[in-house]
Amino acid sequence: MKRILFALLLSAGITSASMAQSAQYEGAMTKQIALLDDYNNFNPEKLQELANTFERIGAAEKTQWLPFYYAGYCNVMHAFLEKDQSKVDAIADKAAADISIADTLSPKNDEVYVVKSLIASSRISVDPQSRGRQYGMEAANWQSEAAKINSENPRVYILQGQSLFYTPEQFGGSKSEAKKKFEIALQKFGTFKPASSLAPHWGERQAQHLISQIK
Amino acid sequence: MWRKINLNLFALIFLPVCLMAQQKITGKITDSKKKPLPGVNIAIKDTYDGASSAADGTFSFTTDLKGEQIISVTLNGYRPFEQKINLNNPQVYNIVLKELISQLNVVTISAGSFEASDERKGTVLKPLDIVSTAGAGADIVNALKTLPGTQQTNDREGLFVRGGTGYETQTFIDGLLVRNPFYSGLPDMPGRGRFSPFLFKGTTFSSGGYSAQYGQGLSSALILESQDLPERSSSSVGVSVIGASVGVDELSKDKKGSYGVEADYTNLGPYLDVVKSKFKPSVNPEIIGTSANFRRKTSSTGMLKFYGYGNWTHMGTYHPSLEYPGYNELFELRNQNVYTNLTYKERLGKGWRISSGLSFSSNTDDIHTDTLEKTAPTKIKNLSSLTQARVMFTKSIGYYSSLRMGGEYQYGVENGAFNSYHANYTDNYSAVFAEGDIYLTPQLVGRVGGRVEHSSVLAKTNFAPRVSLAYKMDAYSQVSLAYGDYYQKPEQQYLRFKPNMDYMKATHYIASVQRITGNYTLRVEAFYKKYHNLVKTSPDTSNGGTGYAKGIELFWRDHKTFKNMDYWISYSYLDTKRNYLTYPYEVQPDFAAKHTFSVVYKYYVPSITTFFGATYSFSTGRPYYNPNLPVNKFMTQKTMDYNSLGLTVSYLTSIKKAFTVFVLSVSNIGNFKQVYGYRYSADKLRREEITPNIPRFVYVGMFMNFGIDRRQDVINNL
């Protein structure tokens, strides 16, 4: 009897603690994601700070994949913005470490694969001649893996479009093909419903921006 | 720092405790040189509370937490820091983060070696550099001839390094010796390497002082590491003025295995109809090549690889006779070459690794020649085969140190026939080696090892000690020293007739300084090499030869100063003399030039997706033997200086779904006269220049690839 009571007490305690945690989690995440959505924060210093915050939330929560997902996303965006090419690999490594935790917590997740694709792309700029082929292909592989899981995810089409957009035509890129991909992405945004208010929802603005650059 | 924390503890104990709802935590993060670190993640461990440090390294945050907690401080590239803290007081933390020892700032042994690898950071070259050198024609050895230490010896087979002959450089694929790394060719022509640079993910060219893992090369080792699984399946087609090739590479569905087959056909006949060669061909030069590979991951860490290669060559020339003016001499060659290599690698646990391999190769040269007598053609037939097994165990010790040990066995058959006269021998060669890379600190490494070898045909055993030392002065610079003894069996053509000779021996001493930053590489290396027991053929065949080589070499590479442009410059000064073969005393040998200089230049124009590449090489004249001079003037005359300028232009495009590249490549574009030496008639009255058979080669080709963008490879192939 004592033992049952104790167990009940314990589980009640856990529940209330986790409910409190959950409210804190929602609040903190909502705030940070809002900061991330603010285009003014899209610079290396702010992205690193956001990544740090997401990592702290992830470390406290332990079971949520989203904080590590966002930490990885912030880090990879930082890698893209970094001007000193000798630092890019270390930042991409950090992003990869974050995203591999997210991958463990939430296996076979198309959003995680989207970031993996971004990480591969971010490494190309360090040495395009030597790396273009290897990492370009790795990025494409993650895009197709993500599409296999969820072909409705608009971010997959944004990545595909971006690859076509930034690759010179002679290397297999095409602005007109890129435009088609961005159009599909925008169309998917119309129907795409994020799983929750915290779930990934970035990309629509990027797609619109790039499409406006194609005549 | 400790004092600081102690002070805080003092404050904690003696100051009146003021209980506040929220506690403020502030501080500053610096590195060990007191430089502020921005972007550091400071957190109360496993809670939301924390902050990132600002540009001046300072941070500040508040927390509701109380009592004992752990503060955790992390930054990419630095050792994570954790500390117990008590949150009942305002806290000031000044924390010093220690830089993490990453691969980049750990010293590696580098004296004497140039490594091209994507996997290791801080290498001087990338694998692509090996193949994107204009005028090298996708030949590994030709590309290496733009590096310091090498000679522009383009009239004979092999890589001539630091006063050594071509025979003194050995080639290894995945640790296994390659008996015939070059195509059999015609006299006075450079031997082209048999293996495509695209087979290899890593290439290490050592111009001396190399590891005890490798033996039987007096001067140099070319160490090639084969590719693993391809990224995806693909097929390719190539057409050029001299031939065509097709290939398929198939990655299995589970992505754990792959196979590939390739075939190529080369015929220089049509080309030589348009552009005349110096010597009239007796047959249209023809090469048929095939290769197959199979690779399989046997576990997450295990890898089994097979590579097989078969090649048939037929070529010949008429050479105006020096002995009998007005007559032509014939030299015609048929060559068959088979090379196979099976390797297996696996981790065995507890820091142990195994890498093992088996290899069989066979080479037949069938030569018909009337060079020697004005009679019926002489038939020369050389058959060599090599069967070998090798195993090596590696044990990691601590973070960086490791121990290697292993052994190898080679069974070599060398059959030679001269008309009906035969001279054959076989050799059982075995060797064991052990070597340790010992890191005294991450910045200081010593390599100590040795190798014991036995050859049955010589019936002798040798012991070769090897030692190197490298010290890293800062993130970019290091100094290295190397010493070692190197033994090699005399060349087959001497051993065939006199089996019980001794090993030839060379002792190397090397000192080098290098600085590699993201933008440039600078390397200066000095060496001294002492030769013992070189083969003498006059007055009779013996090990009585001696010699030395010393010199200083420079390498400079810059790929950041100018956009889209990359170049490197090599300079070698060589002072060498030797008394070998028929030499009467020590002189500068006829394959060695005092000064050698190369510039490799690469430029990409994105708007027209076209690559331009140029390679210029220069060397001072080489000595040649004039029999009309008295013996005290032996080898005192020198040829003219050597100049060569190669140019490559490649244009990238797409045709339907195929990635396509068009290539134009011209060797010796300035049509500089190149004289490698002189040959005298037996009566010493006439002489001929030794010059290239095709002084300038113009190559036009097109390559298409389906499924994988390999255009980059193709451009670099030229």
Side-chain angles (χ1 to χ4, degrees):
Chain A
M1 188 62 196
K2 246 184 196 167
R3 197 173 286 172
I4 293 169
L5 260 176
F6 180 71
L8 274 172
L9 265 168
L10 198 69
S11 63
I14 287 165
T15 322
S16 72
S18 71
M19 274 170 70
Q21 192 88 352
S22 165
Q24 187 189 14
Y25 171 71
E26 294 270 339
M29 286 295 280
T30 308
K31 187 179 160 200
Q32 298 305 319
I33 292 167
L35 287 172
L36 180 59
D37 287 341
D38 181 351
Y39 200 72
N40 294 323
N41 290 331
F42 225 70
N43 56 64
E45 297 75 32
K46 209 72 195 171
L47 282 168
Q48 184 170 16
E49 194 181 323
L50 283 166
N52 282 348
T53 311
F54 282 119
E55 277 175 21
R56 286 200 298 275
I57 298 173
E61 289 295 333
K62 296 203 170 24
T63 56
Q64 301 282 359
W65 68 277
L66 278 169
F68 289 107
Y69 164 87
Y70 279 112
Y73 175 71
C74 291
N75 277 321
V76 74
M77 287 297 139
H78 177 192
F80 277 113
L81 296 177
E82 180 59 54
K83 288 201 176 68
D84 182 349
Q85 292 302 334
S86 67
K87 289 183 179 164
V88 167
D89 268 327
I91 303 167
D93 286 346
K94 188 89 184 91
D98 289 323
I99 212 68
S100 94
I101 302 175
D103 196 14
T104 318
L105 293 171
S106 174
K108 300 235 175 242
N109 185 322
D110 49 314
E111 300 290 4
V112 169
Y113 290 177
V114 163
V115 176
K116 285 193 174 191
S117 169
L118 285 170
I119 293 169
S121 302
S122 73
R123 294 185 195 269
I124 295 175
S125 67
V126 177
D127 185 357
Q129 256 188 299
S130 287
R131 292 182 167 197
R133 187 155 63 87
Q134 183 195 346
Y135 287 112
M137 221 137 37
E138 191 186 324
N141 279 348
W142 286 118
Q143 286 164 18
S144 64
E145 290 293 316
K148 263 187 224 164
I149 297 170
N150 180 7
S151 60
E152 294 303 303
N153 187 336
R155 275 167 291 285
V156 175
Y157 300 93
I158 293 178
L159 295 198
Q160 290 172 343
Q162 274 176 352
S163 300
L164 290 163
F165 184 86
Y166 288 112
T167 309
E169 302 222 340
Q170 295 83 346
F171 282 92
S174 160
K175 296 271 193 287
S176 59
E177 290 295 315
K179 190 175 183 183
K180 283 182 200 160
K181 292 285 183 189
F182 292 137
E183 278 162 359
I184 299 173
L186 289 174
Q187 187 194 328
K188 302 272 182 204
F189 270 116
T191 53
F192 183 81
K193 287 206 171 52
S196 73
S197 61
L198 302 183
H201 51 257
W202 54 269
E204 197 164 0
R205 196 177 46 219
Q206 281 101 313
Q208 278 161 346
H209 173 69
L210 289 174
I211 221 167
S212 71
Q213 298 198 337
I214 302 170
K215 280 154 213 145
Chain B
M1 185 192 74
W2 282 106
R3 191 183 294 164
K4 206 98 198 186
I5 289 173
N6 281 337
L7 273 175
N8 284 327
L9 285 173
F10 261 79
L12 197 78
I13 295 160
F14 293 110
L15 289 175
V17 177
C18 59
L19 285 168
M20 292 201 314
Q22 279 201 323
Q23 204 59 264
K24 190 169 189 183
I25 298 174
T26 57
K28 184 173 178 180
I29 317 280
T30 58
D31 67 7
S32 48
K33 288 173 185 151
K34 305 219 163 142
K35 222 180 88 194
L37 292 172
V40 181
N41 199 358
I42 302 112
I44 308 293
K45 202 181 179 194
D46 292 344
T47 74
Y48 284 36
D49 298 343
S52 294
S53 63
D56 62 354
T58 59
F59 67 92
S60 153
F61 65 95
T62 56
T63 176
D64 296 331
L65 296 162
K66 291 190 179 61
E68 273 219 336
Q69 295 288 350
I70 292 169
I71 188 167
S72 126
V73 181
T74 51
L75 178 67
N76 211 1
Y78 290 82
R79 199 171 286 180
F81 175 89
E82 284 193 358
Q83 170 80 45
K84 258 189 199 161
I85 57 167
N86 194 307
L87 285 180
N88 294 335
N89 276 86
Q91 305 279 327
V92 179
Y93 289 101
N94 292 322
I95 292 165
V96 178
L97 284 186
K98 280 193 187 142
E99 210 170 335
L100 205 61
I101 296 151
S102 70
Q103 205 187 18
L104 258 178
N105 39 35
V106 176
V107 64
T108 51
I109 303 261
S110 67
S113 82
F114 275 92
E115 185 177 357
S117 165
D118 278 331
E119 291 179 352
R120 287 253 310 276
K121 291 174 181 173
T123 54
V124 174
L125 298 171
K126 296 274 174 203
L128 282 181
D129 294 328
I130 295 285
V131 292
S132 65
T133 302
D139 184 24
I140 299 175
V141 165
N142 261 340
L144 295 178
K145 281 181 183 165
T146 66
L147 295 180
T150 57
Q151 294 281 314
Q152 298 293 332
T153 311
N154 292 324
D155 53 330
R156 21 192 128 173
E157 175 186 297
L159 192 54
F160 289 68
V161 180
R162 290 186 173 170
T165 65
Y167 177 69
E168 295 174 26
T169 299
Q170 293 286 18
T171 303
F172 302 88
I173 297 180
D174 293 330
L176 296 159
L177 180 75
V178 184
R179 167 70 181 83
N180 298 96
F182 295 96
Y183 282 107
S184 294
L186 303 174
D188 301 340
M189 290 216 212
R192 205 183 133 77
R194 288 188 176 276
F195 301 105
S196 155
F198 301 109
L199 291 169
F200 307 106
K201 65 174 176 186
T203 303
T204 304
F205 164 57
S206 171
S207 47
Y210 56 88
S211 146
Q213 280 184 65
Y214 308 103
Q216 293 300 308
L218 276 189
S219 283
S220 163
L222 175 56
I223 298 154
L224 304 166
E225 207 184 332
S226 65
Q227 291 277 9
D228 293 327
L229 295 175
E231 288 104 343
R232 67 166 77 161
S233 301
S234 70
S235 55
S236 62
V237 178
V239 186
S240 77
V241 288
I242 56 164
S245 64
V246 288
V248 181
D249 224 359
E250 194 73 34
L251 181 65
S252 72
K253 277 238 166 66
D254 62 4
K255 299 198 171 172
K256 284 184 179 153
S258 75
Y259 71 87
V261 285
E262 239 171 335
D264 57 81
Y265 175 73
T266 305
N267 189 331
L268 264 91
Y271 184 87
L272 293 179
D273 287 341
V274 181
V275 184
K276 294 285 176 240
S277 56
K278 185 172 134 194
F279 302 124
K280 191 167 161 267
S282 66
V283 291
N284 285 337
E286 224 180 346
I287 302 171
I288 300 170
T290 58
S291 76
N293 68 72
F294 172 83
R295 301 166 189 142
R296 183 86 206 161
K297 268 190 165 172
T298 51
S299 73
S300 62
T301 50
M303 186 72 150
L304 184 73
K305 290 193 241 183
F306 169 79
Y307 175 72
Y309 163 100
N311 190 282
W312 294 264
T313 307
H314 186 196
M315 54 180 73
T317 53
Y318 291 111
H319 186 144
S321 175
L322 187 60
E323 296 298 334
Y324 305 98
Y327 287 90
N328 273 329
E329 292 174 352
L330 170 77
F331 186 99
E332 201 163 304
L333 165 84
R334 278 176 198 274
N335 170 269
Q336 285 177 46
N337 186 280
V338 173
Y339 177 80
T340 60
N341 165 321
L342 180 71
T343 58
Y344 174 66
K345 271 187 183 179
E346 178 61 294
R347 280 175 198 275
L348 301 171
K350 295 190 176 162
W352 285 91
R353 274 174 293 154
I354 181 173
S355 61
S356 57
L358 293 171
S359 165
F360 171 79
S361 63
S362 128
N363 186 73
T364 313
D365 283 324
D366 241 318
I367 297 164
H368 287 199
T369 170
D370 61 1
T371 309
L372 306 166
E373 285 168 49
K374 203 174 64 170
T375 54
T378 306
K379 288 179 185 162
I380 302 168
K381 189 165 183 167
N382 284 321
L383 187 150
S384 64
S385 76
L386 182 68
T387 309
Q388 60 182 321
R390 183 179 198 264
V391 63
M392 178 170 83
F393 294 95
T394 309
K395 163 89 172 135
S396 308
I397 301 162
Y399 279 113
Y400 314 109
S401 297
S402 63
L403 195 66
R404 282 183 292 275
M405 61 202 85
E408 60 191 349
Y409 169 74
Q410 296 171 2
Y411 177 71
V413 178
E414 299 287 343
N415 290 347
F418 188 84
N419 288 335
S420 59
Y421 177 76
H422 291 266
N424 303 338
Y425 73 91
T426 57
D427 183 33
N428 289 282
Y429 165 87
S430 48
V432 291
F433 58 87
E435 187 173 70
D437 286 1
I438 300 142
Y439 280 84
L440 302 171
T441 74
Q443 280 75 45
L444 178 64
V445 61
R447 175 182 285 173
V448 181
R451 183 175 175 92
V452 178
E453 300 172 315
H454 179 82
S455 153
S456 69
V457 69
L458 302 178
K460 284 178 186 71
T461 303
N462 71 58
F463 169 68
R466 316 252 165 112
V467 182
S468 354
L469 201 69
Y471 174 68
K472 192 149 197 163
M473 297 175 284
D474 58 39
Y476 308 113
S477 310
Q478 70 173 56
V479 288
S480 315
L481 297 169
Y483 155 82
D485 278 349
Y486 296 80
Y487 291 92
Q488 188 170 12
K489 293 181 262 183
E491 283 182 79
Q492 291 83 9
Q493 67 255 41
Y494 311 120
L495 263 186
R496 213 187 286 295
F497 301 105
K498 195 167 184 202
N500 55 344
M501 281 200 281
D502 204 345
Y503 296 98
M504 303 185 289
K505 181 184 172 188
T507 306
H508 299 186
Y509 304 88
I510 300 169
S512 88
V513 185
Q514 73 175 30
R515 186 168 168 85
I516 303 181
T517 73
N519 299 332
Y520 69 87
T521 299
L522 173 65
R523 214 170 120 129
V524 183
E525 196 157 291
F527 69 93
Y528 177 75
K529 176 159 64 176
K530 180 84 190 144
Y531 284 104
H532 315 264
N533 294 344
L534 292 175
V535 172
K536 288 280 298 169
T537 51
S538 162
D540 42 32
T541 307
S542 74
N543 278 104
T546 56
Y548 73 87
K550 60 188 180 201
I552 188 152
E553 293 159 3
L554 266 155
F555 178 82
W556 163 261
R557 179 173 192 181
D558 172 0
H559 47 87
K560 282 285 160 66
T561 309
F562 307 100
K563 207 178 170 224
N564 294 325
M565 178 179 146
D566 183 8
Y567 69 91
W568 73 74
I569 298 171
S570 304
Y571 166 73
S572 314
Y573 169 75
L574 173 67
D575 171 8
T576 182
K577 282 186 178 168
R578 58 166 62 196
N579 173 6
Y580 87 135
L581 303 183
T582 56
Y583 289 20
Y585 47 84
E586 282 194 0
V587 290
Q588 181 179 343
D590 60 355
F591 53 81
K594 204 149 221 153
H595 304 275
T596 305
F597 173 80
S598 285
V599 188
V600 175
Y601 170 92
K602 300 170 190 186
Y603 189 72
Y604 176 55
V605 184
S607 57
I608 51 168
T609 60
T610 303
F611 281 88
F612 296 90
T615 299
Y616 171 71
S617 296
F618 166 85
S619 71
T620 49
R622 283 158 31 192
Y624 65 90
Y625 171 55
N626 180 349
N628 295 307
L629 295 180
V631 73
N632 63 2
K633 291 267 163 63
F634 181 74
M635 289 274 188
T636 48
Q637 287 177 320
K638 291 199 169 81
T639 62
M640 62 190 288
D641 293 345
Y642 171 86
N643 283 283
S644 157
L645 177 65
L647 196 78
T648 298
V649 181
S650 18
Y651 170 63
L652 286 70
T653 183
S654 293
I655 295 178
K656 303 260 170 165
K657 285 240 160 177
F659 299 111
T660 307
V661 56
F662 292 92
V663 179
L664 167 71
S665 170
V666 187
S667 74
N668 191 18
I669 195 162
N671 222 357
F672 299 119
K673 184 162 189 193
Q674 297 167 339
V675 179
Y676 300 124
Y678 297 92
R679 188 177 288 113
Y680 283 79
S681 61
D683 59 12
K684 308 177 188 178
L685 295 177
R686 291 175 301 280
R687 73 172 193 182
E688 65 171 0
E689 291 172 339
I690 302 171
T691 59
N693 190 23
I694 303 175
R696 177 164 64 193
F697 198 88
V698 180
Y699 178 96
V700 182
M702 179 184 95
F703 300 86
M704 299 177 84
N705 196 285
F706 305 85
I708 182 169
D709 190 350
R710 278 187 73 178
R711 285 174 301 174
Q712 192 66 48
D713 290 359
V714 174
I715 309 166
N716 294 323
N717 212 334
L718 296 150

